[in-house]
Amino acid sequence: MFTPQLNMKRLPLLLAGAMLFIVVATSFITSFEHKYRLSSSTMHKWLTEFSGEALVYFIGWENRYFTQELPKESEPPALSSVLFELTTSIKPGDIRSLLGNELPGFALYDSTIIVAGEGTDYTNLAYESPPPMELLLSGEEAEVQDIERLEDPDPSDSENPPGQTTSGKKIAYIYHSHSWESFLPHLKGVTNPDHAIHSKVNITMVGKKLGEELEARGIGTSVDMTNMTELLRKNNTDYRKSYPMSRTLVQSAMASNKDIDLIFDLHRDSLRGKATTTEIDGKSYARTLFVIGKANPNYEKNQKAAEEINAILNKKYPGLSRGVIGKNKTTGNGVYNQDLSENALLIEFGGVDNNMSELYRSAEAVADAVAEYYWKENGAKKE
């Protein structure tokens, strides 16, 4: 009588094949009924988080050719650990994966540190703290204080024209999806970080300064000063629609100006001053952070741009940048309109405790780094 024998060498490949079959079958099934979409999202989470290196090892157990390009120091994953992670969504060694599934709101901190700046870790990553909608849309605003710090402490020297120029072309575009984001030092009587909002004294002032500094370095820049609160109110919608609404601004700008190559969405972090402030050469600066939307299928190109600008910034202004982080749809918008251009970035400038003097200095520093990046990538056209 013939007794089938199981080839143990083929077991990993069979398991990988079985897993692939389950993924395909589940995706097929979930395309029909809405009630199964949670399963579909879970499968998507597995696919996006499952290590490519681990998959190569699985296939390599059947055909060693595939493992030749793996790093020599790397170790093959334990099959039990991989199966445990896929079935429970808990990553051994990462307590956040356990707590994030159990504590409400904890998953908001489950971002990815791509490049860690000085002092940056998972305890002080950027996070959004939406203002109360009734306050945001009411039109009520705090009185402005500390007026002298609203002035630019280091204005650009317009008497010295740049040696490089885009010849009048507006190749950079700056906008503000959350234009209401303001700063406590300038709001009289406001101490609650969630109430740091204002229609005029806000992140758009930093965008205007950044635009001026880019222009001073020969990079033609247009700055969108749209009041997003008014736009949301006009369209009878709320905070959650701010990115779709700002997307229409970017698309309109790109449609009317084919020269746009750099796109920056400026924000203010909700963290407090200790994490968002640093001193360089005796001057106080608001620290910056680059945020990449990893739900954008082409996010690697945005990430490359962020990493290069961040590296230049670190070299010129050590300690200014908090680094580069990635967010998916479970920790934020996930795309941030970055699918519209490979040079579209979200930049956090400071936090609720920073003042305009600190923010303006940081805008000048970022302009230095962006200009060096741009001229390196595109070549300098001399006047």
Side-chain angles (χ1 to χ4, degrees):
M1 178 184 234
F2 173 71
T3 302
Q5 298 293 321
L6 177 62
N7 188 339
M8 296 303 295
K9 292 183 178 180
R10 293 182 177 271
L11 180 58
L13 186 62
L14 291 173
L15 289 173
M19 186 169 63
L20 180 61
F21 173 78
I22 293 173
V23 170
V24 173
T26 304
S27 300
F28 181 77
I29 293 172
T30 56
S31 65
F32 291 100
E33 287 204 57
H34 178 80
K35 66 180 180 179
Y36 292 115
R37 285 184 182 174
L38 179 60
S39 298
S40 180
S41 64
T42 301
M43 299 304 293
H44 178 266
K45 187 174 188 294
W46 285 357
L47 290 173
T48 54
E49 294 188 356
F50 187 65
S51 166
E53 185 175 292
L55 184 58
V56 171
Y57 267 116
F58 274 137
I59 299 175
W61 282 333
E62 177 66 19
N63 188 335
R64 295 187 181 276
Y65 172 81
F66 291 99
T67 62
Q68 293 178 1
E69 297 301 321
L70 290 173
K72 294 182 179 180
E73 64 274 11
S74 64
E75 295 290 336
L79 182 59
S80 58
S81 296
V82 172
L83 292 176
F84 178 76
E85 180 178 337
L86 291 177
T87 54
T88 65
S89 296
I90 298 175
K91 299 179 181 179
D94 187 354
I95 194 172
R96 294 176 305 120
S97 62
L98 172 62
L99 297 178
N101 293 330
E102 302 300 328
L103 301 181
F106 195 89
L108 292 175
Y109 297 88
D110 191 22
S111 301
T112 302
I113 297 178
I114 299 171
V115 178
E118 182 179 309
T120 298
D121 55 36
Y122 283 103
T123 67
N124 55 20
L125 293 184
Y127 73 97
E128 291 183 12
S129 181
M133 283 306 303
E134 62 276 10
L135 178 62
L136 181 64
L137 299 178
S138 68
E140 298 179 10
E141 295 189 319
E143 183 181 343
V144 176
Q145 66 181 5
D146 208 3
I147 304 297
E148 65 276 5
R149 290 198 177 186
L150 295 179
E151 301 297 324
D152 188 351
D154 306 298
S156 300
D157 188 354
S158 58
E159 295 181 2
N160 297 319
Q164 301 159 305
T165 178
T166 57
S167 300
K169 294 181 179 180
K170 301 292 185 180
I171 64 95
Y173 177 75
I174 298 171
Y175 70 110
H176 318 84
S177 292
H178 298 161
S179 68
W180 55 80
E181 292 177 335
S182 188
F183 306 90
L184 293 176
H186 301 295
L187 303 178
K188 188 174 182 179
V190 180
T191 57
N192 186 340
D194 292 342
H195 292 191
I197 62 176
H198 201 274
S199 64
K200 295 180 180 178
V201 180
N202 54 40
I203 190 64
T204 63
M205 297 177 67
V206 184
K208 183 180 179 181
K209 171 64 173 175
L210 178 60
E212 292 171 351
E213 294 296 337
L214 288 174
E215 288 276 359
R217 290 156 181 76
I219 297 179
T221 305
S222 59
V223 182
D224 187 284
M225 301 290 285
T226 298
N227 183 328
M228 289 300 295
T229 304
E230 287 296 326
L231 192 59
L232 293 176
R233 185 185 295 117
K234 181 179 178 180
N235 286 273
N236 195 30
T237 187
D238 60 24
Y239 168 90
R240 293 170 296 179
K241 297 296 183 180
S242 55
Y243 286 107
M245 295 301 299
S246 66
R247 184 182 184 86
T248 63
L249 301 177
V250 181
Q251 290 175 320
S252 177
M254 295 179 71
S256 60
N257 180 9
K258 302 300 182 182
D259 294 322
I260 291 179
D261 187 33
L262 302 172
I263 301 175
F264 303 125
D265 186 6
L266 271 51
H267 289 253
R268 175 269 291 148
D269 202 344
S270 294
L271 286 178
R272 305 310 298 259
K274 182 179 179 180
T276 64
T277 312
T278 190
E279 185 172 301
I280 303 174
D281 295 332
K283 294 182 178 181
S284 185
Y285 287 75
R287 300 188 71 189
T288 60
L289 179 72
F290 296 90
V291 179
I292 300 301
K294 298 187 73 173
N296 165 23
N298 301 312
Y299 79 89
E300 291 92 347
K301 295 179 180 179
N302 306 89
Q303 179 175 317
K304 180 176 181 292
E307 289 176 336
E308 292 188 17
I309 295 174
N310 181 72
I312 297 171
L313 192 59
N314 272 335
K315 184 177 180 180
K316 287 177 170 285
Y317 301 86
L320 178 62
S321 176
R322 293 164 56 202
V324 182
I325 68 170
K327 289 192 173 188
N328 55 35
K329 286 187 177 296
T330 65
T331 56
N333 173 268
V335 178
Y336 305 110
N337 301 326
Q338 292 170 2
D339 56 321
L340 298 176
S341 168
E342 62 187 51
N343 284 324
L345 303 176
L346 188 156
I347 310 177
E348 300 271 2
F349 275 85
V352 291
D353 293 318
N354 290 108
N355 60 58
M356 284 298 168
S357 297
E358 297 165 336
L359 292 156
Y360 285 155
R361 293 189 187 103
S362 299
E364 183 175 356
V366 170
D368 275 344
V370 170
E372 183 171 324
Y373 165 79
Y374 178 78
W375 295 123
K376 179 182 177 181
E377 292 291 312
N378 296 274
K381 182 177 180 181
K382 300 291 184 180
E383 283 192 323

